[in-house]
Amino acid sequence: MERIYITTPLYYVNAEPHLGHTYTTVVADTLKRYYRSIGYDAFLLTGTDEHGDKIAQAAAASGTEPKAYADRVSELFRLTWDTCGIAYDHFIRTTDDYHKQFVQSVLQKIYDAGDIYFGEYGGFYCYGCERFYTEKELVGGKCPDHQKAPDYISEKNYFFRMSKYQQLLIDALQSTPGLIRPERYRTEVLAFLREPLEDLCISRPISRLQWGIALPFDSNYVTYVWFDALLNYVSALAHRGGDSLASLWPKANHLIAKDILKPHGIYWPTMLMAAGLPLYDHLNVHGYWNMDSGKMSKSLGNVIRPLEMKARFGMDAFRYFLLREMAFGQDAKFSEEALVTRINADLANNLGNFVSRALAMQQKYFDGVVQPLGAIWPAEDQELRDKFAQAENELKDYMKELHFHRALEAIWSALDHANRYIVQTAPFTMIKDAEKKARVGAVLHHLLEVVRTLARVLAPFMPDTAVELRDLLAVGVDSLKAPWGRGFVAGHKINPPKVLFPRIETDAKK
Ligand code: ME8
């Protein structure tokens, strides 16, 4: 059986789940459902990143101990994903004992092999990013992400000999085009590697920070949060036991946004090399969601919370918007107006109306009982079937390249065709002529085949809607696999229609 291992970043517990986290997690969930649907053994990992300065400071600011603080926010992430119906297989916390032990064992192994050494380092440190910056990386003397001047600190620390793996990493990136994708991010990492790579400071003295995993070879230090957190992708599999590590790790597909390209594109593969582990299969990098009003932030009061979106618009509508609106790899803009426009046009109108028309006619003309297709299919029937077959083929190619928006576009283009088919065949006119009743039955049967196909192809993107469609058709999961024209047994009765996506009235129209 083919396998795929899908991961989201481990989200920091100093912020509550928002639009950005939700996008990556929804993409991961969609991929998992898609690969499952084509017969893969797909495993999805998510979780929370809980150590380091940033979390210790956030806990202190809220007057809580770091562990209690992390417990609360981590639970919030887990609950959010549960409520959103994310089908993760394991939720890892970097404070889990097995993870801590795993990190220590890897540190010891790399230390014993001579790739970790003790040295002195002074540099510009940004607490927000939890990393040192070179002068060149600062913009106007400030961290480009946090717009704050970093602190200059000098101290004795442990270093990972990252520089030793620079050439090996360049070779791997050059010989494996898809290792980091889309291509522009591979190019970005390669460009960065044109400069000599410095060794990575992987410890923090406990005089400055206690909230971390103790170094196994020096209890005066804790592990730098990135060296701890990145290892989650492997520790979770080791913890799972069996052949998980051997069979799933080489099939790893990480999902991240471009903000954490450097740790995933440089630190992580060199760490894997030092630990004697194979590299991930793909690092998949998406762009940023921006708000109309600029960056999303608590202080601007424009944070988009997934549970609010689910409550107001429904999870599937929100998922559809996220996957349809952003081209994976590029930035996208979020606005409620755009969301409502998509819901009304694509979901209420195109999809919702199609389904309710098909089901309503079936009910009205044949009391819900599916009619025979007839031995000879006119050209328009074949065209309809072919249009969906083509969309499904395109979808396969698009999913391989993470072009979710194009996959959905292909389905909607077939749906447009199906709406035109109703207009062209005009069953509502034909039914007035008793002699054409059999043809009306056949046309409606084709419409139900469209609904059945939709229940199959939409399942990874809009899982609840797919189930609703299936319930409306009164068929089981297995019957979704049947080829066009073989989905319903003679005399099968479907259910009456219902409104899947109510139109959202905007203020302007009220
Ligand atoms: O970086 N648009 O955690 P984090 C799109 N703990 N995606 C966004 C986004 C936005 N505006 N904002 C956040 C960390 N994301 C580390 C990761 S992994 C071993 C450790 C998503 O909570 C996106 O996936 O800051 C981004 O990479 C991630 O959240 C950063 O989450």
Side-chain angles (χ1 to χ4, degrees), residues 9-12 18 20-21 24 49 226 233 257 259-260 286 288-289:
L10 290 204
Y11 305 116
Y12 282 131
H18 60 60
H21 309 126
T24 319
D49 186 356
W226 274 105
Y233 299 132
D259 56 335
I260 49 177
H286 64 76
Y288 243 58
W289 281 98

Side-chain angles (χ1 to χ4, degrees), residues 83-99:
T83 312
C84 289
I86 303 296
Y88 61 85
D89 295 285
H90 185 62
F91 188 100
I92 184 170
R93 302 181 56 184
T94 54
T95 50
D96 287 336
D97 280 340
Y98 69 84
H99 173 74

Side-chain angles (χ1 to χ4, degrees), residues 194-271:
R194 271 189 229 124
E195 303 286 323
L197 199 54
E198 285 179 19
D199 289 343
L200 183 67
C201 177
I202 55 140
S203 65
R204 298 292 180 262
I206 53 169
S207 55
R208 185 153 69 75
L209 177 75
Q210 295 85 46
W211 184 234
I213 300 176
L215 290 188
F217 40 81
D218 191 339
S219 56
N220 290 315
Y221 289 86
V222 295
T223 312
Y224 170 47
V225 65
W226 274 105
F227 205 93
D228 153 359
L230 286 162
L231 283 165
N232 90 85
Y233 299 132
V234 179
S235 74
L237 295 182
H239 173 64
R240 193 171 177 238
D243 72 339
S244 295
L245 190 57
S247 65
L248 284 170
W249 174 248
K251 301 291 174 191
N253 266 264
H254 297 312
L255 291 162
I256 60 163
K258 61 186 184 183
D259 56 335
I260 49 177
L261 176 60
K262 192 175 166 189
H264 284 82
I266 295 178
Y267 304 172
W268 184 220
T270 55
M271 284 166 67

